[in-house]
Amino acid sequence: MGTFLGYAFTLTLLFCIAQGKVLRYDFVVKETPIDMLCETNRTVLTVNGLFPGPKIRAHKGDTIYVNVTNIGPYGVTIHWHGVRQIRYPWSDGPENVTQCPIPTNSSFLQKVILTEEEGTLWWHAHSDWTRATVHGPIIILPVGGTNYPYKFDKQHTIVIAEWYARDTKAIIDEALATGGDPDLSVAYTINGQPGDTYPCSNGLMYNITVVQGKTYLFRIIHSGMNEEMFFGIAKHNLTVVGMDGAYLKPLKTNYLMITPGQTMDVLVTANQSPGRYYMEFSPFVDTDASTNENVTRGIFQYSGLYAFGELEQHKFLTPSISILQAYYKEAAFVSTEVLMIKYNEEVEIRFQGTNFGAAENHPMHLHGYSFYVVGMGDGNFSDSYVSQYNTVDPPYINTVGLPKNGWTAIRFRANNPGVWFVHCHLDRHASWGMDTVLIVGEGPNTDQKLLPPPQHMPPCSGL
């Protein structure tokens, strides 16, 4: 399987490099007043004044340059979640791992290299808890002359987020200083709207108008900070056809669970009696720890009815330098523990869920790679489980749910040199140290080595 996949990837990469276009976007990170649940005086960090932030739209194999200008009150970084960034980790974004924060009143031109990714990914801030409001979609379309492996009539992007009653950087700074739990979010939002389950929501509810008999592609992005979510549409079935920028063998279900960091491409056919149907996100609670147990709802509405708005008019220790830059300069940086991997090694990582308190599910995300999920189960891992691995058609994703008090095994070939972050995508866990760094060495050939860094990286003290 490994050899075949290697050849397939090489061919895909060569094809994409030959065909890709160059796209350019401008991101301005700034504080913006957002009215939410009658909090009329709140300002939050946004990109271009939008919550969720602007959509990046590209084709497979394109190269994207994003000029990120920070005029916010503190340094930030931007991560392109699920983009492999082949040989170019310089723009990957995790704070003090591959770069230092972009200082206030300065810019950093980030290069986003698309290769094999196709489907739905997303971008988000990777500094403290700023991604709560600094995030947005990446839509990667098939290259010209090729089609999706499924059919649909129209597509919609749905971003689920968590809303906090006060500044998220202040929340995590306070929690780390005191050792207490960080504040819970007070609401969930769908494309920035909380829905009708909250007091003082002013009827703000995301709604989609559909035509009976038509099939719709939902590009669902979970940008939330700390809660895994169930999703379903009343009386309608779902078909999951993609995850994390790759296609899946279609899976039919009447609901799904999505973790922070994951994306899912889902088909929905409007095959019920015309009417208005709730589509709902509700939290998956599997722990005794405090959680936000609210729900958020939108409307899946058949055409020919009044618009809804008309009806409702009433790990690991993060260093103070960039590990990538220190590694590239062969500087002494090892106060943080990292895992060294040789180029092109076949890697298997087994995540084991344990607890000293409240056990729960953990969404584990690997930067720089997608991986095959070859096994998963309850309890402690045993070597006898290896014979039961799925090596025929395992899902190929970049974020996987580690079951509560269970285990997950993933495999990938280490063919992307650089410094790559591994972490739980529940931000309170990442803030407490549930993360590590993989350093993948370079290969002997020119095309197996890191590309040089850009001329102007955000400055780091000590380098």
Side-chain angles (χ1 to χ4, degrees), residues 52-56 121-125 133-138 159 221 223:
K55 181 186 295 184
I56 289 179
L121 295 174
W122 64 301
W123 59 266
H124 60 82
T133 53
V134 180
H135 57 253
I138 304 176
V159 182
I221 299 167
S223 72

Side-chain angles (χ1 to χ4, degrees), residues 88-91 108-111 325 451-458:
Y88 198 78
W90 304 105
S91 288
F108 178 38
L109 183 63
Q110 296 193 240
K111 183 179 181 181
Q325 289 171 264
L451 294 168
Q455 285 188 329
H456 303 290
M457 291 285 288

Side-chain angles (χ1 to χ4, degrees), residues 153-156 158 191 205-218 233 236 268-270 274-277 279 298-311:
D153 298 293
K154 194 173 181 180
Q155 56 185 298
H156 297 276
I158 296 177
N191 288 353
M205 178 179 289
Y206 180 69
N207 67 90
I208 293 173
T209 300
V210 300
V211 176
Q212 191 171 32
K214 300 291 186 180
T215 297
Y216 297 84
L217 171 62
F218 282 13
I233 303 174
H236 289 77
V268 185
T269 299
R276 296 191 306 277
Y277 298 84
M279 49 184 181
I299 292 292
F300 188 83
Q301 173 179 282
Y302 284 70
S303 62
L305 302 173
Y306 292 105
F308 180 76
E310 295 172 344
L311 290 173

